[in-house]
Amino acid sequence: MNVNSLDLPRLLALLRLELADVPGMSVALSGSLARGDHRTGANGRIVSDLDLIPVVPTAAHAPTARAVLQPVLSRLAQALRIEATAAITTLDAFHRAARARYRTSMWPEWLIDGLGLGPNAFNQPAPDHTAELPWAIQPITYYLAKATDRDPRTNLAKARRAANLLLAKGVGEDLLGASDDLPRSLRNLIHEHHLDPLASTAAFLDAPTRPDISRAVRDAVFRENQGLPCAESVLVVPAPTLPH
């Protein structure tokens, strides 16, 4: 099935159809397809990953959700010929992480709403500079930590782009704008604004060269965002290999 960049309604209809019989969770679209900055290939066909956020009542419901969603993601990956992923999220974490980037960029409609969360679940909290900044810093330290373990060039570029989002908001211009030492700049930013950093950020800034820092920060980020460690939250079905 070819879905091009102008066919988002068709994609949403397919997702709703595939998820229609999935019980006990609410599921929303996230990632580049939700933000509208997805990549396209030949003839405008969508080639970016499909990212879903299934919200479950508690962590105890995650194993069942994984078992139910695995075949759904497999069918979607096969039908769309793109990688299909899900980050299972507890309801408590979904509410707590209202300022996390995955929350602020979600498609504001449930594909299915088995938990009865309704449209108000997508409402953003009132602007609060002090509360927003720790969540804006989180992806910077996540990608800096990831760069210590794999693909430094790509992940450092992602960290810089996340830092530039702060600059676009007029925050930290003197600290982040001209500096290539992001860890030092972030420490300065946190100090200057009297911030209480998230645990994942604090873990990285306290020991950025620790051998296992990438895994430690990744799991801390998933606990902050999804309420689960990465291995219990993430499902990934690769894009099918096309015949030559």
Side-chain angles (χ1 to χ4, degrees):
M1 176 181 180
N2 288 330
V3 178
N4 67 38
S5 60
L6 300 178
D7 278 344
L8 188 56
R10 186 180 176 205
L11 172 63
L12 294 173
L14 173 65
L15 295 176
R16 291 188 177 102
L17 179 64
E18 283 289 348
L19 292 163
D21 295 327
V22 171
M25 66 185 79
S26 297
V27 182
L29 180 66
S30 188
S32 62
L33 285 169
R35 295 191 302 269
D37 58 3
H38 51 276
R39 293 174 290 112
T40 57
N43 301 318
R45 187 177 70 83
I46 291 171
V47 296
S48 288
D49 298 347
L50 171 68
D51 300 304
L52 299 179
I53 302 294
V55 181
V56 297
T58 69
H61 295 83
T64 299
R66 292 177 66 85
V68 170
L69 288 167
Q70 183 71 45
V72 175
L73 291 179
S74 295
R75 291 195 300 271
L76 288 169
Q78 190 67 38
L80 299 170
R81 293 189 289 153
I82 58 177
E83 183 169 287
T85 74
I88 297 169
T89 302
T90 66
L91 182 57
D92 179 64
F94 179 81
H95 289 310
R96 187 176 63 246
R99 292 182 170 89
R101 188 159 189 256
Y102 86 90
R103 283 289 321 274
T104 59
S105 63
M106 291 174 76
W107 186 260
E109 296 176 11
W110 295 109
L111 298 168
I112 57 168
D113 189 15
L115 301 186
L117 302 179
N120 289 341
F122 297 101
N123 292 348
Q124 292 299 305
D128 182 334
H129 188 72
T130 302
E132 291 166 7
L133 283 179
W135 291 98
I137 292 170
Q138 184 203 56
I140 306 175
T141 47
Y142 171 76
Y143 286 118
L144 288 174
K146 194 173 181 180
T148 68
D149 180 55
R150 64 184 66 182
D151 197 353
R153 182 176 180 179
T154 297
N155 285 304
L156 288 174
K158 288 181 177 181
R160 171 52 65 184
R161 284 198 295 272
N164 287 342
L165 291 177
L166 282 178
L167 295 175
K169 295 179 180 180
V171 177
E173 186 171 353
D174 56 329
L175 302 172
L176 295 172
S179 174
D180 288 326
D181 186 352
L182 282 176
R184 179 177 61 81
S185 297
L186 290 172
R187 291 188 191 98
N188 290 341
L189 180 64
I190 289 166
H191 175 74
E192 291 291 331
H193 289 267
H194 308 288
L195 300 178
D196 185 14
L198 297 177
S200 59
T201 293
F204 176 76
L205 294 179
D206 286 347
T209 59
R210 201 175 97 189
D212 65 340
I213 194 63
S214 178
R215 179 185 57 78
V217 170
R218 180 196 64 194
D219 274 343
V221 165
F222 270 86
R223 288 187 184 280
E224 290 159 357
N225 290 355
Q226 272 66 52
L228 296 163
C230 179
E232 296 177 23
S233 170
V234 171
L235 285 167
V236 179
V237 176
T241 302
L242 299 178
H244 295 291

